[in-house]
Amino acid sequence: MEFGVEHYAIDYFANRGYRRRRCKSCGKYFWTIVERETCGEAPCEPYTFIGSPPVSRPYSLQEMRRAFLGFFESKGHKVIAPYPVVPRWRKDLYLVSASIVDFQPHVTSGSVEPPANPLVVSQPCIRMVDIDKVGATLGRHLTIFEMGGAHAFNFPDREVYWKDRTVELCVEFMGGLGLREEDTVFKEGVWAGGGNAGPCYEVIHSGLEIATLVFMNYRTLNGVLEELPVRTVDTGYGIERFTWLAQGTPSAFQVIYSGILDRVSELIDIPNPDEELFIRYARYSAWIQPTSSLSLADARRKAAALAGVDLERLQPVLERLEQFYKILDHTKSIVFILADGVVPSNSKVGYLARLLVRKTQRILELLGRKDMLPELAALQIDYWGRDFPRLLEMRDEILELITYEVKKFNESIVRGLAQLERELAAVSKSGREIDAEYVARIYEERGLTPDLVVSTAKKLGIKAPAMEEVEERMISRHIESPAKEKEDERLVEAAQLTKDLPKTEKLYYSDPYAAKFTATVLASTPKIVVLDRTLFYPEGGGQVGDTGVLRWRGLEARVTDTQIVDGVIVHFIEGDQPPVGEVVWGEIDYGRRLSVMRHHTATHILIGAARRVLGRHAWQMGAKKEAESARLDISHHAPLSRDEILKIERLANEVVSERRPVKISWLPRSVAEDRYGFTLYQGGEAPLGQVRVVEIEGWDAEACGGTHCANTAEVGFVKILKVERIQDGVVRLVYAAGPAAHRYVSESTIELESRLETVEEEIRQLKLGYGRLIEYYQETVLKEFEQASTSPQQLERIERVVADLAARIWFYSKSYQKEELLGSTRLIFDFRPVTNVTYFASMAREAVKHNSPAAGLISGRLKTGMLIAAGVNRQLSRHGLSPRSVAERLGAGKIRYIDDEVVVFEVAEKDVRTIYNDFKRLIENLQPSEA
RNA sequence: GGGCCGGUAGAUCAGCGGUAGAUCGCCCGGUUUGCACCCGGGAGGUCGAGGGUUCAAUUCCCUCCCGGUCCA
């Protein structure tokens, strides 16, 4: 795309004596007052401002921002607050990459009034495209920067200003800073983005492009330019670059991050470069344009050669410095993105956040500072929070997300490395080598960066490819074909039918509780009916379309679904077909609609609750509201705990019982955004200039086109049925509201109760079974052995084995009566019929077989008193409670068995409770000395 | 949204048309009065789900589900 000279030759230039020249170095055209051979932009010429700034004084970034906003304000521009960096109001972009994005596409296409005209904003912008160049170019490339945008929107009937005034304002602003017009060059260029395009001037001073003045008056449609009714002045002043120019430091990072520079360099231990050498090198740093054909190392060498600097001396410091700059830049981006409620994940904008975290974390690891990211982020939050308070509001959420993401990354690396090492061990054994293809594949499959793979290979003595080769390989692997979207056949048919029909009047907005209406048929087929007006809500915003009936002259069509195509509402029918022109009676399935409305309002209540419980990073990622249940997908990094789910549910039901009114209002976009903030766009892109705001008083406000209850009380009751993680960074709540919720609760209660009964019965049977098993062994098996004339020693041994087995079953089936915790001691108690002494001893032993203090008391009634088996394990006897002392203190008569953990004895006492309480007291009186 | 990789014992993984394996953990025994000690034995698997090809599928093909990862 190119524009002819007529697009650039303006009166202002003619009056001021500018001439058009062609740069002998880059071949581009430019406008200048004084005679010059090149355009002056580096690398056609070096940076001249480094070491000798042309601005009258060393403005700080904050001062420069103020100066910029103040100047344009004084020229009739209204200052507006910056927008978020995540443009939730459009779905074609992940990040705000320029100030004009704030106003696309609705303002620039003319369908929406701008918030002010002309206006000025200092908009934080994020661009990921140059991420690998950040640092090496000493600040010319950044992932995050502030674009000073001065915008004027010229409507056919209302001209604000156009090219001449734009250039005049630019020259005047620069003049105020002490930048001479004679040293300024206006370079011709073309700008295109966001579906718009136009000619532009790049404003060059001292070698640096510091502003771009775009005159956006075209729309690009399939590669063809079409003139726009609204001509937009889109100027972008690089606030960071102006500040860099004002201070003339070797790198822009020194001015952008001046407030935290020292602290960060101390934290990650970055040495200071030789100032004089660094300045000389920096002047030529614009030659560093690493591309696939010129590696970073070569580019750096070239710049050093031109500057006459000995790279050997500068290089080691330079590399650390570039990493330092990357860290500064990336952490700022991370903090801004997360502040807008992005959760790192593996798709969409979440992936960009993840990419930034991982790239930064990788550098920190190389520097031996792998735990430092949260601390660095905290510094950035506190520093930038002065200018952008939302960072401070989101401080805790941001730091938690970063900590969590770093942890996930580490786990992924550990896993990946273990696997890689196994694989490489096999390679090493076979004496093979690895190639660039292999390294690139490992990166794509497991996220192990090429440097990690290569260094691991070298460690194992495997020959690995050079990094350049790998990078080339990775670029060539990314030739992909765009995917096609599937289209709903029914809607294709509907689109044919509705092409020339007027937009349908939406009766459901005037009264969401109405059920009956009359309308005239505008078009019909055996499957589709279009009316001039309707109460049937078409599917949209996650709310299902209405069903119902249409009646006329004794005939009837059942409406099975309702959709909307370009403003025309389409009823899908079964049954008779109404003729065009017929007046029909319509009636929606009222109960179904009411239930859907409850679910829809419940969704808004729940998103408010989720944001309060989980944090403000929780955004609605999708939703579906039906008659029986609804679901809501929210962005959140971790699985929800039981506690969090209960809290969300409880809060939601509180809002229901508080009977909050649900208010609906149509507001101009900018007014709505001003009043409610950008959390309005929970439901995604809002298509209209006027925004329909659904507000639950004091709880939640969203741009939404759905039908809602008039009061939260009508929702009745909200029950969360299921919570699942449907994707990395997204959890789904499934819930029901009102009668549907009650149905679920009562049905599931009945089911639970019957299942509980079954389980209880099963447990009873099992215990009975165990009892029988034990009896069987003790009575039958032992008798068998006795009769088989087994020797007494063998018999004793067998008795012991059987008793141990029975005791184990007893213990693991928890067949005992009671389990108690006395301090740190676990006490197991049971009362059983007396079978034999060995079995009692085995049970006591089993009860105390733990590493923590444990005691057991098994009692059984004898004719003369009781048989007691007491167990105290080593952890207890260490504190002075030995089996023998227990026997003595409990008044033992005849001791039947004793070892170092267990004693079995008879007592005359007949009351179980007395013995149990005595035993408890013995344990409680021990000096508790925790290990 | 798309591409690529993976899903086998409680954990980490090997096997890749013909009777399912290793290491750690677990249980038992021995050794040892303190340990991530040592020795011996044992339990534990619908080989993610469904369909197809085949005499035979964990293995090959298709669909789906789940996890990972890269790119927009």
Side-chain angles (χ1 to χ4, degrees):
Chain A
M1 202 192 304
E2 239 176 68
F3 290 102
V5 60
E6 69 278 9
H7 285 94
Y8 300 101
I10 53 174
D11 292 344
Y12 179 85
F13 287 159
N15 298 340
R16 301 281 297 174
Y18 277 77
R19 276 155 291 190
R20 187 174 190 245
R21 290 288 176 265
R22 185 171 189 176
C23 177
K24 70 168 195 183
S25 170
C26 67
K28 297 223 179 93
Y29 289 101
F30 61 89
W31 295 81
T32 173
I33 290 183
V34 300
E35 205 54 52
R36 39 171 78 237
E37 294 193 317
T38 73
C39 67
E41 182 181 10
C44 294
E45 276 175 32
Y47 294 145
T48 56
F49 66 93
I50 289 176
S52 55
V55 176
S56 54
R57 68 180 183 85
Y59 287 77
S60 71
L61 188 72
Q62 285 75 12
E63 286 168 341
M64 187 57 79
R65 183 193 302 127
R66 263 201 302 278
F68 168 77
L69 293 173
F71 171 79
F72 280 94
E73 190 174 23
S74 75
K75 300 295 174 185
H77 295 65
K78 182 167 183 223
V79 178
I80 66 163
Y83 281 44
V85 295
V86 179
R88 309 257 183 196
W89 57 91
R90 29 194 314 192
K91 56 180 172 189
D92 57 331
L93 281 180
Y94 294 136
L95 294 165
V96 171
S97 55
S99 57
I100 195 66
V101 165
D102 299 349
F103 312 105
Q104 284 173 315
H106 306 295
V107 176
T108 53
S109 70
S111 64
V112 173
E113 276 292 306
N117 197 7
L119 59 81
V120 63
V121 60
S122 187
Q123 175 63 43
C125 297
I126 298 186
R127 291 183 183 175
M128 298 292 287
V129 284
D130 293 325
I131 185 164
D132 290 324
K133 294 177 192 149
V134 173
T137 57
L138 304 182
R140 191 159 43 102
H141 296 102
L142 301 166
T143 62
I144 180 162
F145 61 95
E146 273 180 61
M147 181 179 283
H151 302 288
F153 305 94
N154 297 292
F155 297 95
D157 57 336
R158 227 170 344 129
E159 180 85 7
V160 183
Y161 63 77
W162 194 232
K163 295 176 185 175
D164 290 284
R165 179 66 177 153
T166 303
V167 174
E168 190 185 343
L169 285 170
C170 177
V171 170
E172 198 180 330
F173 169 60
M174 287 172 63
L177 298 174
L179 295 167
R180 300 185 335 145
E181 192 174 4
E182 294 77 19
D183 300 329
T184 307
V185 170
F186 293 87
K187 203 171 159 181
E188 296 180 7
V190 172
W191 184 90
N196 300 130
C200 71
Y201 301 112
E202 292 163 8
V203 185
I204 317 293
H205 197 285
S206 303
L208 191 64
E209 180 190 346
I210 46 179
T212 308
L213 314 177
V214 180
F215 305 99
M216 215 169 72
N217 55 342
Y218 295 98
R219 168 163 54 197
T220 48
L221 264 179
N222 305 321
V224 183
L225 290 184
E226 185 185 298
E227 240 179 273
L228 280 170
V230 183
R231 290 170 299 131
T232 303
V233 172
D234 169 21
T235 65
Y237 290 75
I239 303 293
E240 283 85 356
R241 289 189 178 189
F242 268 94
T243 315
W244 191 14
L245 207 63
Q247 296 193 27
T249 50
S251 90
F253 296 96
Q254 288 158 287
V255 306
I256 303 170
Y257 297 96
S258 59
I260 53 172
L261 199 75
D262 291 344
R263 180 76 188 119
V264 177
S265 78
E266 192 183 301
L267 278 175
I268 58 181
D269 190 23
I270 294 294
N272 283 321
D274 179 328
E275 190 70 18
E276 145 62 57
L277 223 55
F278 191 29
I279 287 177
R280 268 163 58 201
Y281 171 82
R283 286 193 181 126
Y284 289 85
S285 62
W287 269 266
I288 300 172
Q289 306 248 19
T291 56
S292 53
S293 61
L294 185 67
S295 76
L296 175 58
D298 288 341
R300 214 188 265 138
R301 212 166 296 133
K302 192 172 165 193
L306 283 163
V309 171
D310 180 7
L311 192 59
E312 297 295 308
R313 271 179 60 200
L314 198 56
Q315 177 118 348
V317 184
L318 210 53
E319 278 175 7
R320 293 291 295 269
L321 220 48
E322 287 171 10
Q323 291 174 324
F324 174 43
Y325 294 157
K326 274 182 192 288
I327 289 168
L328 283 169
D329 170 85
H330 297 357
T331 44
K332 182 181 174 189
S333 278
I334 291 167
V335 160
F336 270 76
I337 292 181
L338 297 188
D340 282 345
V342 171
V343 171
S345 76
N346 57 8
S347 71
K348 301 184 180 173
V349 64
Y351 178 69
L352 299 179
R354 169 163 293 172
L355 195 66
L356 280 165
V357 170
R358 294 191 167 189
K359 278 189 186 280
T360 314
Q361 180 64 18
R362 187 68 201 121
I363 297 170
L364 285 170
E365 268 166 29
L366 288 173
L367 293 172
R369 298 286 189 280
K370 70 185 180 71
D371 298 320
M372 205 148 276
L373 192 51
E375 193 176 343
L376 293 171
L379 277 174
Q380 297 269 17
I381 292 170
D382 296 337
Y383 183 56
W384 296 107
R386 294 180 310 179
D387 301 326
F388 303 92
R390 71 189 273 104
L391 297 180
L392 294 175
E393 285 166 27
M394 292 285 284
R395 193 175 199 274
D396 296 344
E397 279 103 334
I398 295 170
L399 294 182
E400 159 151 16
L401 284 171
I402 289 176
T403 308
Y404 192 88
E405 183 59 19
V406 167
K407 195 177 130 229
K408 268 192 88 161
F409 181 46
N410 286 338
E411 282 166 5
S412 167
I413 292 292
V414 167
R415 222 183 6 252
L417 269 186
Q419 199 177 351
L420 179 69
E421 273 168 19
R422 269 197 307 276
E423 233 172 85
L424 288 180
V427 173
S428 155
K429 213 180 274 175
S430 67
R432 282 172 293 150
E433 352 182 309
I434 58 174
D435 57 9
E437 178 71 26
Y438 177 85
V439 177
R441 212 188 70 225
I442 295 291
Y443 175 58
E444 282 177 12
E445 286 172 7
R446 299 174 222 164
L448 294 180
T449 49
D451 61 300
L452 256 176
V453 179
V454 169
S455 70
T456 308
K458 285 190 175 148
K459 211 165 62 192
L460 292 167
I462 297 167
K463 211 172 145 212
M467 288 305 287
E468 281 85 11
E469 206 186 322
V470 177
E471 269 157 33
E472 226 168 277
R473 192 83 228 173
M474 295 208 312
I475 292 160
S476 69
R477 280 172 75 95
H478 285 298
I479 302 153
E480 55 211 85
S481 58
K484 274 186 200 158
E485 244 181 85
K486 276 188 284 180
E487 282 195 44
D488 190 334
E489 264 176 50
R490 292 186 316 160
L491 291 184
V492 173
E493 190 191 332
Q496 287 290 322
L497 187 70
T498 58
K499 220 166 23 193
D500 300 315
L501 296 178
K503 293 190 177 182
T504 312
E505 189 188 340
K506 297 166 177 173
L507 299 173
Y508 48 82
Y509 277 158
S510 36
D511 180 7
Y513 292 94
K516 296 178 187 173
F517 67 105
T518 57
T520 309
V521 177
L522 297 184
S524 76
T525 72
K527 284 190 213 157
I528 298 173
V529 173
V530 178
L531 304 172
D532 61 340
R533 51 189 218 145
T534 188
L535 267 181
F536 283 83
Y537 180 87
E539 177 166 354
Q543 181 177 337
V544 291
D546 275 325
T547 60
V549 287
L550 299 176
R551 291 195 185 90
W552 68 98
R553 299 178 198 274
L555 295 174
E556 186 176 301
R558 171 108 214 121
V559 177
T560 56
D561 188 19
T562 311
Q563 297 283 333
I564 186 164
V565 181
D566 289 332
V568 182
I569 293 173
V570 190
H571 307 79
F572 289 90
I573 56 159
E574 276 168 11
D576 303 318
Q577 176 188 351
V580 172
E582 184 68 71
V583 173
V584 295
W585 284 85
E587 180 172 2
I588 59 169
D589 290 335
Y590 192 59
R592 181 174 179 274
R593 155 71 81 78
L594 268 186
S595 187
V596 170
M597 273 163 60
R598 283 194 194 97
H599 283 114
H600 201 151
T601 305
T603 303
H604 287 219
I605 296 173
L606 273 174
I607 188 74
R611 287 174 66 80
R612 281 168 178 82
V613 173
L614 303 176
R616 275 157 297 183
H617 59 274
W619 275 75
Q620 177 179 320
M621 303 300 281
K624 175 114 185 165
K625 304 99 184 179
E626 297 179 72
E628 284 307 301
S629 68
R631 58 169 208 247
L632 166 67
D633 301 336
I634 45 185
S635 56
H636 186 60
H637 51 295
L640 296 196
S641 69
R642 194 147 194 86
D643 198 42
E644 285 167 334
I645 297 166
L646 288 175
K647 259 191 204 152
I648 292 172
E649 194 177 86
R650 205 189 59 223
L651 267 182
N653 282 302
E654 272 169 25
V655 170
V656 169
S657 61
E658 281 159 10
R659 316 185 64 84
R660 297 187 190 224
V662 180
K663 292 187 302 194
I664 288 164
S665 47
W666 286 89
L667 296 172
R669 235 186 144 79
S670 49
V671 174
E673 284 167 7
D674 243 25
R675 190 176 303 168
Y676 301 106
F678 291 88
T679 53
L680 264 184
Y681 304 112
Q682 290 287 339
E685 183 209 31
L688 298 163
Q690 290 270 313
V691 182
R692 183 173 182 266
V693 178
V694 175
E695 182 185 7
I696 297 173
E697 220 174 60
W699 188 254
D700 176 80
E702 293 177 40
C704 175
T707 55
H708 280 272
C709 304
N711 188 293
T712 58
E714 286 172 43
V715 171
F717 164 55
V718 184
K719 175 73 194 156
I720 296 177
L721 306 175
K722 193 164 75 168
V723 178
E724 53 188 342
R725 180 173 171 276
I726 56 160
Q727 186 206 50
D728 197 18
V730 182
V731 289
R732 169 171 294 172
L733 304 182
V734 181
Y735 47 93
H742 281 116
R743 256 196 312 282
Y744 269 106
V745 169
S746 56
E747 276 166 19
S748 63
T749 307
I750 290 167
E751 197 195 321
L752 269 180
E753 274 171 3
S754 83
R755 267 163 71 177
L756 189 64
E757 272 169 33
T758 316
V759 169
E760 277 174 346
E761 177 57 22
E762 273 170 12
I763 290 175
R764 220 171 55 80
Q765 291 295 335
L766 270 177
K767 282 188 177 171
L768 225 68
Y770 288 138
R772 292 219 189 93
L773 193 68
I774 293 165
E775 269 169 46
Y776 172 75
Y777 272 108
Q778 304 224 333
E779 287 168 19
T780 322
V781 179
L782 286 179
K783 265 186 200 124
E784 287 287 324
F785 279 109
E786 256 174 81
Q787 282 160 12
S789 69
T790 321
S791 76
Q793 287 83 2
Q794 277 176 318
L795 200 63
E796 204 174 295
R797 173 96 180 131
I798 291 163
E799 193 179 87
R800 169 84 193 271
V801 169
V802 171
D804 280 351
L805 177 70
R808 178 150 309 159
I809 292 169
W810 164 81
F811 184 73
Y812 283 109
S813 65
K814 294 191 196 278
S815 299
Y816 43 81
Q817 289 191 0
K818 206 166 171 181
E819 178 172 353
E820 234 181 318
L821 211 57
L822 308 171
S824 58
T825 305
R826 191 158 72 131
L827 171 63
I828 293 203
F829 169 75
D830 202 5
F831 181 82
R832 305 195 69 82
V834 175
T835 43
N836 61 50
V837 172
T838 317
Y839 181 41
F840 267 50
S842 292
M843 283 190 282
R845 192 174 296 113
E846 197 64 48
V848 301
K849 213 154 101 186
H850 311 287
N851 292 323
S852 53
L857 188 75
I858 320 298
S859 54
R861 203 172 304 274
L862 295 171
K863 277 176 198 141
T864 53
M866 283 199 299
L867 183 70
I868 300 291
V872 283
N873 69 356
R874 295 208 173 94
Q875 276 75 9
L876 268 189
S877 30
R878 219 180 289 150
H879 300 301
L881 201 63
S882 68
R884 185 165 297 280
S885 66
V886 170
E888 280 164 9
R889 308 271 278 278
L890 292 182
K894 187 176 176 192
I895 289 184
R896 304 281 294 268
Y897 173 89
I898 188 160
D899 63 21
D900 55 358
E901 282 185 332
V902 169
V903 60
V904 184
F905 55 87
E906 292 175 16
V907 285
E909 173 70 53
K910 281 204 163 187
D911 183 22
V912 181
R913 214 171 307 151
T914 313
I915 296 283
Y916 181 67
N917 288 337
D918 287 350
F919 190 51
K920 256 171 80 173
R921 212 164 300 125
L922 283 183
I923 295 163
E924 280 164 351
N925 289 343
L926 286 181
Q927 286 299 331
S929 65
E930 293 299 326

